[in-house]
């Protein structure tokens, strides 16, 4: 420290030059989940089409047409037809359901309409309508690439032939 509180002069500091590292390709981004949730307290009116999984915890008034799965939670309500690979109903559906692979009606669920599916599981739910059994889609195994675990079946549900 110099006289009268002045700072001594400092020498300029030189930094090492920055060298950018070359790279061959950009890193890949993680694959996006194709999951859609209609939350409790939300009302959606319209048509849902595409690929992925839809979970209805609120109210949907319209049509669902998916390559994937549909879950209607105990708090969920769907007014309109549903067409998907796999469907799980624990809430209420007013409309027809076509499940190309399998349909599970849980004990808290109710379907007011006709159903068509290759595999039907009913856990004491209510079905007001007729059921038609479909032939499983050609080229698809019974245990298809549809994620059964992702459909969140009831706590006591076990799929035959699968280890848990």
């Amino acid at each position: 420290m110099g006289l009268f509180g002045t700072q001594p002069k400092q020498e300029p500091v030189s930094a090492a030059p920055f060298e950018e590292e070359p790279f061959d390709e950009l890193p890949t981004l993680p694959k996006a989940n194709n999951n859609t949730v209609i939350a409790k307290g939300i009302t959606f009116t319209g048509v849902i089409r595409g690929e992925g999984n839809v979970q209805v915890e609120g109210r949907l008034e319209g049509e669902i047409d998916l390559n994937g799965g549909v879950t209607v939670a105990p708090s969920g309500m769907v007014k309109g037809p549903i067409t998907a690979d796999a469907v799980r109903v624990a809430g209420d559906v007013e409309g027809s359901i076509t499940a190309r692979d399998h349909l599970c009606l849980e004990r808290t669920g109710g379907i007011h309409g006709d159903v068509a599916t290759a595999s039907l599981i009913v856990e004491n739910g209510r079905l007001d309508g007729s059921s038609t059994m479909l032939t499983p889609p050609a080229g698809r195994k019974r245990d298809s690439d549809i994620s059964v675990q992702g459909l969140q079946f009831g706590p006591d549900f076990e799929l035959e032939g699968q280890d848990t």
Side-chain angles (χ1 to χ4, degrees):
M1 196 161 193
L3 271 169
F4 306 110
T6 59
Q7 298 288 333
K9 291 187 178 182
Q10 295 181 353
E11 295 293 320
V13 178
S14 61
F18 176 74
E19 291 183 28
E20 189 172 323
E21 293 181 28
F23 53 90
D24 293 331
E25 56 187 63
L26 294 173
T28 59
L29 296 174
K31 186 177 178 183
N33 287 336
N34 292 336
N35 295 326
T36 300
V37 176
I38 298 172
K40 191 173 183 177
I42 299 294
T43 298
F44 177 85
T45 303
V47 177
I48 297 177
R49 280 199 175 88
E51 271 186 41
N53 297 310
V54 172
Q55 182 163 329
V56 180
E57 297 174 3
R59 183 179 178 93
L60 185 138
E61 296 176 1
E63 177 185 351
I64 300 175
D65 185 5
L66 287 180
N67 289 328
V70 175
T71 300
V72 181
S75 61
M77 169 68 169
V78 175
K79 282 191 161 194
I82 298 173
T83 302
D85 294 326
V87 179
R88 171 191 167 249
V89 178
D92 289 312
V93 175
E94 291 182 14
S96 63
I97 298 176
T98 301
R100 291 180 284 272
D101 285 335
H102 50 267
L103 167 64
C104 177
L105 175 57
E106 292 194 0
R107 66 181 178 275
T108 59
I111 300 173
H112 308 282
D114 298 336
V115 299
T117 184
S119 171
L120 177 62
I121 300 167
V122 178
E123 298 179 355
N124 294 335
R126 181 175 178 95
L127 174 59
D128 292 329
S130 65
S131 64
T132 303
M133 299 308 291
L134 302 175
T135 304
R140 234 186 229 185
K141 301 177 190 173
R142 278 303 287 242
D143 297 328
S144 65
D145 56 351
I146 307 294
S147 173
V148 175
Q149 288 78 17
L151 292 177
Q152 302 173 7
F153 286 98
D156 299 328
F157 178 81
E158 290 183 23
L159 190 61
E160 290 180 27
Q162 281 194 345
D163 298 327
T164 50

